[in-house]
Amino acid sequence: MTHLDAAAAARPSQATLGAQIAHLRREGERGAYVAEVEAEEVLHSARAALAGLMGPGLGPDDLAFHHSASTAFAALLTAWPLPPGARVGVLPSEFGSNMLLLEALARQTPLELIDLPVDPHGVIDLDVLDRVGIPSARAARPRALDELNLVVFPHVPSQHGIVQPAVEMGRRCTEAGVPLILDVAQSLGQIDVTDVHASAYVGTSRKWLCGPRGTGFLALRGNLAERLDGASPGLHTMRRGEDAQPLPLPGLSRLGIGEAPVASRIGLAQALAELLASDPELVFARIGYLASHGRRVLDGAGGWRVRERPSLPTGIVTLQPPPGVDPVAVRDRLFRQDAILTSAIPVQRSRDLAGPLLRVSAHVYNDPAEFERLAEALNRDPGSSAPPRA
C-alpha cells in the first residue's frame, strides 16, 4: 500500500500500535480505571511533549485531552467569555465543522463573524490588515484588529497546503490585546509552531503526529482557563455539606474528557516520543522535501493541476481535476486498482473552495518514487466522469 494520506490519518509506527495494545491488555487484567491511574506518568509526558512542540509559556498542566481537534474547538469556543455583539475574526478557509459552530454561536449570542483580509492564495494579507483594516458588513469603515474580541483560524487548512502567518498574527493580536485561538491540527508535527504564542491551541493526534484516532487536545496560556464558563460532562467535584452540589473542576481540567479512550492517548505519547527522538526539524524538512518533489511530479499528470507552489513547506498537495472528472471516483479507483491511498476533498469542506479536489499528503515514511507511481496512475487513467446529477 502506498500511503499518501497523512493529512487525514498518518500511518502509526509498530511501537505506537504496540503501546496501545499493551495498555488495553492492562485494562483487561487490572481494570480500566486502575490502568489509567498507573499510566498517569506516561500521559503527563505526552502533555509535556505537546507543550514543548508549541513553544515556551506552556506546560503539561496547560493542556487537556479531548476526542478530536473539532470537539476541543467546540468545548473551548462555547466556554469562551464572549459578550453579546462580540466581533470574531475568521478566515474563508476555516474547517467546515468549526465554521458551522461559529455560525451557530453567531445566531444564538449574537456575535459578528468578520473575514480577515486574504491574498489570492488565501493567505492572510498582513499589508492590507495593517494599512486598511478588516472590512465589516455591519460597519461603514473597516475594523481595526483591536476592535475584535477574538481571532480564530487554522494554521494550515486541510484543503490547501498553504501556511498562515501565525507568528505575525500572534504578535499583532498580542499587541492589540485580542486573544487568538489557533487550530494546529494540520500543522503540529510537520511545521514549527513554537514561535506563535497564541492564546489557545486545538489539535489532534492522528495526522502529522502519527498518533491514533480518538485523541485531540486543547491548550491555554496563562490564567485564561479561570475565565472559561463551562464544564465537560462527567468532570466535576462535589461541594461538601448538606447543600452538596456538583462543581466544575478547576482550571483547564473542566474542559477535558473524563470517559475517554486512554489507549489512544498512550499511543500518542509513544508517537510524540518517537518524533522528539527523530529531531522535529529533520522531520519537518523531510516532509517539505517530499511535498516539493510531489508537486513537481504531479502537476499536469493526466490533466490534474497542483494548486500549491513547490516551495511551500507543508506536506499537503492538492490537485484540481480535469473538466468533468470526479475526485471521489478517482480516489476510489486509485485505492482499489493501484493500492494508493489519497483523500477526496468535497467542495463543502470550506467556504474558499470552488470545487472538489484530490489531496495527497506525504510523511517521512514515504519515498519520492511513490509520487511518480501516483503520476503514472493519473496519466494512465486521469479519472472517471462525474456522476450525473439527480
Side-chain angles (χ1 to χ4, degrees):
M1 173 65 66
T2 297
H3 194 300
L4 290 170
D5 206 19
R11 195 176 71 193
S13 70
Q14 290 300 310
T16 295
L17 295 174
Q20 297 176 77
I21 294 169
H23 181 80
L24 290 173
R25 286 180 175 144
R26 285 193 295 273
E27 286 189 349
E29 294 168 358
R30 304 176 64 78
Y33 293 102
V34 171
E36 180 178 4
V37 171
E38 293 177 342
E40 180 51 42
E41 184 176 344
V42 176
L43 299 176
H44 184 274
S45 72
R47 294 194 299 272
L50 286 169
L53 288 172
M54 287 181 287
L58 284 172
D61 294 336
D62 298 315
L63 284 93
F65 288 121
H66 236 267
H67 292 314
S68 67
S70 294
T71 61
F73 183 81
L76 186 57
L77 199 66
T78 53
W80 203 272
L82 288 172
R87 294 177 288 273
V88 179
V90 297
L91 286 180
S93 59
E94 183 60 73
F95 188 64
S97 65
N98 290 354
M99 198 65 207
L100 286 174
L101 174 64
L102 287 161
E103 291 171 344
L105 290 176
R107 293 190 297 269
Q108 295 166 7
T109 305
L111 54 85
E112 181 183 4
L113 302 179
I114 304 177
D115 278 335
L116 301 172
V118 296
D119 67 15
H121 301 287
V123 178
I124 297 173
D125 195 322
L126 297 174
D127 184 56
V128 171
L129 181 66
D130 293 340
R131 288 189 303 103
V132 179
I134 309 166
S136 170
R138 300 186 190 179
R141 59 172 180 80
R143 300 282 192 186
L145 187 60
D146 62 7
E147 294 181 76
L148 301 183
N149 299 91
L150 180 66
V151 171
V152 302
F153 62 83
H155 194 184
V156 174
S158 70
Q159 69 280 358
H160 202 175
I162 58 175
V163 182
Q164 297 296 349
V167 174
E168 294 82 355
M169 281 301 296
R171 182 169 60 250
R172 283 167 171 78
C173 287
T174 298
E175 292 171 352
V178 180
L180 166 62
I181 299 177
L182 188 68
D183 183 344
V184 295
Q186 288 287 0
S187 59
L188 196 68
Q190 69 155 329
I191 61 175
D192 189 4
V193 180
T194 55
D195 293 329
V196 175
H197 300 288
S199 305
Y201 304 81
V202 296
T204 188
S205 162
R206 64 182 161 88
K207 300 180 186 293
W208 301 97
L209 295 175
C210 293
R213 295 184 66 189
T215 291
F217 64 88
L218 54 87
L220 281 175
R221 289 189 184 278
N223 61 354
L224 282 170
E226 301 302 329
R227 297 169 49 196
L228 300 181
D229 181 21
S232 292
L235 287 179
H236 65 271
T237 185
M238 297 295 294
R239 177 184 294 144
R240 295 183 180 277
E242 295 181 358
D243 61 340
Q245 297 179 9
L247 297 173
L249 294 175
L252 188 58
S253 57
R254 75 184 65 179
L255 295 187
I257 294 292
E259 191 59 36
V262 177
S264 68
R265 299 177 180 180
I266 298 295
L268 173 58
Q270 175 64 33
L272 288 165
E274 293 175 13
L275 171 61
L276 296 177
S278 301
D279 189 338
E281 289 188 6
L282 293 178
V283 171
F284 304 160
R286 171 71 176 175
I287 292 171
Y289 162 75
L290 287 167
S292 178
H293 175 78
R295 291 175 187 130
R296 291 186 175 92
V297 169
L298 294 173
D299 191 34
W304 292 77
R305 301 314 303 255
V306 171
R307 299 168 70 228
E308 291 83 16
R309 300 188 307 276
S311 60
L312 285 174
T314 74
I316 295 176
V317 182
T318 56
L319 301 172
Q320 186 172 337
V325 171
D326 176 21
V328 173
V330 173
R331 176 205 62 193
D332 294 346
R333 190 259 303 167
L334 288 169
F335 183 78
R336 184 178 61 256
Q337 296 182 9
D338 300 282
I340 300 175
L341 184 63
T342 61
S343 277
I345 304 299
V347 68
Q348 298 86 356
R349 173 65 59 89
S350 68
R351 293 181 294 137
D352 66 334
L353 285 180
L357 305 166
L358 187 71
R359 185 183 65 193
V360 181
S361 45
H363 214 300
V364 292
Y365 46 71
N366 288 113
D367 185 272
E370 292 176 303
F371 287 105
E372 294 159 15
R373 183 166 177 258
L374 173 58
E376 291 173 2
L378 293 176
N379 277 318
R380 185 176 65 248
D381 182 0
S384 305
S385 298
R389 295 180 179 272

